[in-house]
Amino acid sequence: MLYLRKDEIHETEKPYKLQYNTEDELPQQNTVQESRGPILIRDLRGQTKSFSFEKNGFSVLEMESKMDPEDFADERRVKEVYYREVQALLLRYFGAKRVEILEHLVPKPRAMAALTEAKINR
């Protein structure tokens, strides 16, 4: 597991890591990642209801989607369909007035193949 190393600079500047070439106009990132461990990772299946955002800093939510695994490679479809689905879920869960999704990563073809296989093998 990689974590963000604490740094004094983050008291006055938000941590960032750019996913594009800045052509030396500014540093690619102002962060350093460090490894910590060993860390025990457990399967949450069957106990998801015992976690809450307020108590644990995360919550496991279930959501029906109109998306198929291969749809996640289509950025337009992700933004038009999935963003709206996630926004609606988070608006309900948090009782928020507004939810804004700032970015997402498009899976690489190998990851998409694994997702498709997982769906077929269920």
Side-chain angles (χ1 to χ4, degrees):
M1 301 282 293
L2 295 175
Y3 293 88
L4 176 67
R5 182 186 299 162
K6 289 188 179 192
D7 193 317
E8 281 184 29
I9 194 169
H10 300 141
E11 292 178 23
T12 58
E13 189 175 292
K14 287 185 178 184
Y16 70 86
K17 182 177 182 182
L18 303 175
Q19 302 296 325
Y20 55 89
N21 186 352
T22 62
E23 299 179 10
D24 297 327
E25 291 181 27
L26 70 148
Q28 196 78 26
Q29 65 187 52
N30 70 350
T31 62
V32 175
Q33 292 180 331
E34 62 184 12
S35 178
R36 295 187 193 160
I39 297 172
L40 177 62
I41 298 174
R42 294 190 176 121
D43 185 348
L44 297 180
R45 287 177 281 197
Q47 45 186 332
T48 57
K49 301 264 188 257
S50 63
F51 296 96
S52 73
F53 185 78
E54 294 78 10
K55 179 181 167 191
N56 306 100
F58 73 93
S59 184
V60 180
L61 305 176
E62 292 185 24
M63 176 182 89
E64 292 290 326
S65 178
K66 296 176 183 171
M67 300 282 286
D68 288 321
E70 56 274 6
D71 293 336
F72 287 94
D74 180 347
E75 188 167 349
R76 182 186 54 77
R77 184 146 170 82
V78 168
K79 288 181 177 181
E80 290 176 2
V81 177
Y82 192 65
Y83 273 28
R84 289 187 182 143
E85 293 173 337
V86 171
Q87 285 172 322
L89 176 71
L90 295 175
L91 284 167
R92 281 192 311 274
Y93 181 76
F94 287 110
K97 293 179 182 175
R98 180 175 145 199
V99 169
E100 196 169 324
I101 299 173
L102 301 177
E103 66 179 279
H104 72 281
L105 297 174
V106 175
K108 293 184 169 93
R110 283 176 76 187
M112 288 308 302
L115 284 173
T116 304
E117 285 179 28
K119 182 181 180 192
I120 292 169
N121 293 331
R122 284 187 181 179

